[in-house]
Amino acid sequence: MSEKYMKEYEAGYTPKLVMEEASRCLLCHDAPCSKACPAGTDPAKFIRSVRFRNFKGAAETVRINNILGAICARVCPTERYCQQGCSRSGIDKPIDIGRIQRYVTDFEDAMKMDILEKKPLNGKKVTVVGSGPAGLSVAGLLASEGYIVKVYEKEAKAGGYLRYGIPEYRLPSTVVDKEIKRIQKIGVEILLNTPVEDLESLKKENDAVVVAVGHSKGKMLPMFAGKHFVKTAVDFLHDVKRKKGNVKVPENVLVIGGGDVAMDTVTTLRLLGVKQVTDVVYETFDEFKASKKELQGAQDEHVSIIDGYVPVALKGKKVVFNHRFIPAKLEVKADLIILAVGQYTEAGLLGLEVDKLQQVTNAKGNLFVCGDVSPSGEKTVVYAVRSAKETAYAVKKYLGGK
Ligand SMILES: Cc1cc2nc3c(=O)[nH]c(=O)nc-3n(C[C@H](O)[C@H](O)[C@H](O)COP(=O)(O)OP(=O)(O)OC[C@H]3O[C@@H](n4cnc5c(N)ncnc54)[C@H](O)[C@@H]3O)c2cc1C
Ligand code: SF4
């Protein structure tokens, strides 16, 4: 049942194909791709290195600029960032920057390169709460600067949504494991199964504390609350990833939601062999939130996607929907209903104030926030890396570093 789910969906480049793709690059001056990367990975520079067969140099550029380079290579919605402004689009199609980056980081791994360096310890202690991409990145960046860094993680494994959200066929756990090992190798200590409940004592015991707890809970709509046949998408995806696809799912599943998390859910269901997967979406197709790539993946798996409907009632296991603009009604019966209608943070449990966008608003003194809970822009992995760079800089400045 789990074989298709466990196999990486998109094949990596061969040496011949990566050279062909890199040779399409126009080697732009003041390259739009490099300006558009939120984390400053500098694709123009590493693609130039690939063009000259300098894979080592390319790997160094990626890793030094983006501490989660192998992960971003796989999951970054590049069509929204670096590839969007790619000058090659005017000729035929943009350079596949993500896939070149994947080749380069696979090379780094195969050659067992150790690119991240560490300065001598400076005696200052920083604790990070949460080991998602933001927590891991800020911890790694500060450790490389000589800070003594500990990460507290409530789950049994580190990685946040890299570990328990993004499905295996898009981001293999082995890739996440290797990225985490690189960060541990430069001195970051990760304490698992260790939920933080009391921020005040952590603030007293450390020179600085960074909260990177993410938006780790899925939203439930009131009409579905307490029903045993209803789950949130993040709980479902967590369960599937943890059990390596070995889960029991009924043959007829309804998913409600139209963002990337919904697309991951419906595609996962189909890869697990579920026969009937229906996705009902609030937005109409022209308003769709999911990335084109993810939507295409779901359509390739023959998911029925119905747009423009809002759920209004639950009758047994049947959901009644009304169309948002026309007087049309839809009824869908399913044995399992999965809600992909957004995530929220539990940062409030730590005594922090949270706004409507689920961002912490009252971090001050030696307390910093990073990743999805910070006002850092979009809620993606590459923005988590960018936020980590900004937070590491702010911590260093606060602690009098250069
Ligand atoms: C299903 C899914 C698919 C996605 N796909 C993509 C994608 O393809 N590309 C992309 O760029 N982005 C994607 N995203 C978004 C991306 O994963 C997030 O923006 C990113 O993970 C945010 O990073 P973070 O470190 O802020 O938070 P998280 O990844 O949520 O990590 C937070 C961590 O903090 C821990 N934690 C929480 N509270 C405590 C506590 N009190 N004590 C200790 N630890 C605690 C949590 O257990 C978790 O490990 C996806 C998200 C989901 C849900
Ligand atoms: S914008 Fe496109 S063509 Fe120009 S350097 Fe970047 S990848 Fe190459």
Side-chain angles (χ1 to χ4, degrees):
M1 194 187 194
S2 61
E3 218 170 274
K4 276 175 104 183
Y5 170 79
M6 291 302 289
K7 191 165 175 269
E8 196 163 4
Y9 211 56
E10 202 173 53
Y13 277 141
T14 59
K16 182 171 176 281
L17 288 177
V18 78
M19 290 313 298
E20 274 174 23
E21 188 63 5
S23 68
R24 292 203 309 118
C25 173
L26 304 173
L27 305 178
C28 307
H29 171 67
D30 212 11
C33 58
S34 291
K35 282 200 214 156
C37 174
T41 312
D42 205 349
K45 189 171 175 200
F46 73 72
I47 295 172
R48 186 180 288 266
S49 298
V50 171
R51 277 280 285 267
F52 292 100
R53 294 182 182 271
N54 177 7
F55 298 113
K56 184 172 171 283
E60 282 165 0
T61 299
V62 173
R63 185 63 64 190
I64 288 164
N65 290 321
N66 184 338
I67 196 161
L68 297 181
I71 289 173
C72 280
R74 286 166 168 86
V75 304
C76 192
T78 45
E79 79 275 8
R80 292 217 296 266
Y81 308 133
C82 55
Q83 283 177 209
Q84 194 183 40
C86 173
S87 311
R88 184 76 207 197
S89 316
I91 300 174
D92 42 21
K93 56 178 183 175
I95 305 295
D96 195 337
I97 296 172
R99 228 148 150 209
I100 298 181
Q101 187 170 322
R102 176 169 157 195
Y103 184 89
V104 164
T105 51
D106 285 352
F107 174 90
E108 173 195 17
D109 178 46
M111 293 296 127
K112 300 193 172 14
M113 289 172 73
D114 256 338
I115 298 169
L116 299 174
E117 284 177 2
K118 185 174 167 53
K119 288 186 185 158
L121 290 178
N122 62 21
K124 296 198 169 134
K125 288 198 290 185
V126 181
T127 283
V128 178
V129 187
S131 71
L136 289 171
S137 304
V138 74
L141 291 169
L142 287 168
S144 69
E145 291 288 334
Y147 293 87
I148 303 161
V149 187
K150 269 188 193 167
V151 178
Y152 287 75
E153 170 53 54
K154 67 174 178 171
E155 296 276 356
K157 286 193 172 179
Y161 279 143
L162 307 174
R163 170 76 58 193
Y164 293 124
I166 304 178
E168 189 73 21
Y169 62 87
R170 291 207 296 118
L171 180 59
S173 302
T174 47
V175 174
V176 179
D177 289 339
K178 285 176 186 168
E179 297 278 75
I180 292 173
K181 271 203 185 115
R182 275 194 195 95
I183 287 169
Q184 286 173 313
K185 211 168 169 186
I186 50 169
V188 172
E189 187 186 351
I190 304 177
L191 302 157
L192 300 170
N193 296 309
T194 316
V196 167
E197 282 156 13
D198 175 15
L199 269 186
E200 287 312 311
S201 46
L202 271 189
K203 277 163 66 183
K204 279 184 201 132
E205 290 156 13
N206 288 274
D207 296 292
V209 175
V210 180
V211 173
V213 295
H215 294 173
S216 47
K217 285 274 167 193
K219 283 187 191 158
M220 179 57 72
L221 299 173
M223 81 173 84
F224 298 104
K227 305 285 184 225
H228 70 274
F229 53 89
V230 181
K231 281 184 179 178
T232 65
V234 288
D235 284 348
F236 169 74
L237 292 169
H238 184 298
D239 201 34
V240 178
K241 202 151 183 193
R242 194 171 55 85
K243 294 180 181 157
K244 300 186 188 327
N246 293 311
V247 291
K248 271 198 167 168
V249 188
E251 288 297 333
N252 178 12
V253 183
L254 166 66
V255 176
I256 299 178
D260 285 336
V261 176
M263 295 305 117
D264 278 343
T265 307
V266 294
T267 308
T268 295
L269 285 161
R270 291 289 299 146
L271 294 178
L272 292 177
V274 175
K275 285 204 177 93
Q276 173 92 34
V277 180
T278 310
D279 184 22
V280 181
V281 183
Y282 175 86
E283 290 83 17
T284 51
F285 271 113
D286 53 332
E287 305 167 321
F288 240 56
K289 286 189 182 153
S291 73
K292 284 199 182 107
K293 200 169 160 187
E294 291 245 34
L295 176 61
Q296 189 60 52
Q299 286 173 329
D300 289 350
E301 291 301 327
H302 310 292
V303 174
S304 318
I305 302 178
I306 305 169
D307 64 325
Y309 280 88
V310 54
V312 289
L314 180 67
K315 294 179 182 167
K317 289 186 175 178
K318 193 161 66 183
V319 185
V320 183
F321 297 87
N322 282 347
H323 197 277
R324 281 168 60 212
F325 304 120
I326 52 172
K329 196 181 239 190
L330 170 76
E331 292 188 347
V332 184
K333 195 167 178 229
D335 294 316
L336 172 64
I337 298 168
I338 302 179
L339 300 184
V341 292
Q343 289 82 243
Y344 64 93
T345 183
E346 288 191 308
L349 298 177
L350 298 171
L352 295 167
E353 283 166 21
V354 173
D355 66 11
K356 273 203 286 202
L357 296 173
Q358 300 297 302
Q359 296 168 166
V360 171
T361 54
N362 64 335
K364 52 178 189 273
N366 70 344
L367 184 71
F368 298 81
V369 284
C370 187
D372 277 1
V373 283
S374 72
S376 62
E378 295 187 28
K379 309 306 174 200
T380 57
V381 176
V382 73
Y383 264 95
V385 175
R386 175 200 179 111
S387 165
K389 283 178 150 182
E390 289 167 354
T391 308
Y393 179 78
V395 169
K396 263 170 69 181
K397 202 167 156 205
Y398 175 80
L399 296 177
K402 285 187 189 147

